[in-house]
Amino acid sequence: MKKGWEVVIGLEIHAQLGTESKIFCGCSTRFGDEPNANTCPVCLGLPGALPVLNKRVIELGTRAALALGLRVNESSIFARKNYFYPDLPKGYQISQYDKPFSEAGELEIMTAERDEAGRPREWQPMKVRITRLHLEEDAGKNVHESLPDVDRYSYIDLNRAGTPLAEIVTEPDFRSSWQAYDYVNHVRRALQWVGASEADMEKGNLRCEANVSVRREGAKDFGTKVELKNLNSVRFMQRAIEYEIERHINLIESGGRVVQETLLWDDRANETRSMRSKEEAHDYRYFPEPDLPPLVVTEDFIKHVRAGMPELPGSRRARFMDEYKLSYNDAAQLTSDRALADYYEQAAKISGNPRVAANWIKTELLRELETANLSINESRITPEDLAALVKLIDEGAISGKQGKDVLVEMFASGKSAHAIIEERGLAQVSDAGEIERIIADVIVASPQQLAQYRAGKETLFGFFVGQVMKASKGKANPNVVNELLRAKLNENQ
Ligand SMILES: [Zn+2]
């Protein structure tokens, strides 16, 4: 960001809750079925049809709220959000307004700025305030592609109409595009962690919007904000925010004024486009949904849901620090994803060296995964294999440096560390007898250096170490060499 400026970002995420049926009717939520196959009078908005709340939505909504540190309200109200759009058959969307399902969350995430190549610099904890998480139904979809006469007709697919969503809104707490990026990824993984949502952006079951404004550093008031929509990947969102930051600063510095509007990100053109300005902004005229009673969530219900949930990232992070003596940052990174936390915990237990196992996973393994664009579940190195590698290095069978090469090959081939060490003849020689023989040969071959060393030129110690390592073709265990060599050179004086 340009010096002297600050960006202010707030985010909205729409996550599809992972139910089998829709929020107010029994129609399937399956993705990819024939258009309009999964519809009924309720989700088609036919007159007289009445909504009935799906209990599973309350359960998954509760899971999501708890995973994000929100308070679930004892009573919340569904409201009609009125607007006209062809994919919204009722003419209103059932959402929540002034009494949402849950509120007042505080979430701790890990975030890092990135260098030119997109590599994270230093990971740091950050607190994000989540204003609310409310429940609502999704709209259908207009289809303008791959159908006959699309130049004259719009097609409407209402399979998605009535799919349950959790809308998650933050305070304007983000001060960089990467913080926003790390937050959305954190939420995505947290929702997957507790089984509340598949949270797959490619399938469209997690979508985000960003409110962006800039102001001079130190200014108290917010600048005029724009709303970025249609951000169908976290990377696009990050780019769109960067684009807007630069556009706003240039505009203001050249004497212009930012206009409040809704923008779409066009990834092909690498720029934002105006969708509508504030003048056309909607007045939704919310009012309580008369066909649904207030939603009451009891303490007992929350307890029941909590009991059925896996250990949450925050408590697992604390446990990793306590049980495995990890630093805050390491524990936070390893609990950013449930599969990764499971992987680590298994490797830590088998290797008997949790801290070293943590280092190998978060530096070497995660780098290989990122380069190959694979998830931890797709790693060809199993936790058992990784633990075996850690043990071999611990025991001095190979050096740490060799270990890095071995890991790269394990990752590429799926072979075990033992097999690779055998094949490459890498095993370190730690056997004292064998190293002593090499030392004896080296000393006999270097009488001059020996005399100088013994006359007080101690810097020659390095020369002897080098000779021994060379004679062993680099395989001698350096610690053993140091110890035996020192004893040998200093004897009989
Ligand atoms: Zn239906």
Side-chain angles (χ1 to χ4, degrees), residues 72-77 96 99-101 103 294-298:
V72 177
N73 287 330
E74 200 188 327
S75 168
S76 63
I77 306 281
Q96 296 188 306
K99 291 213 167 126
F101 181 72
E103 290 174 273
L295 168 56
V296 174
V297 179
T298 62

Side-chain angles (χ1 to χ4, degrees), residues 22 25-27 38-40 42-43:
K22 295 186 180 179
C25 62
C27 294
N38 304 322
T39 54
C40 74
V42 172
C43 54

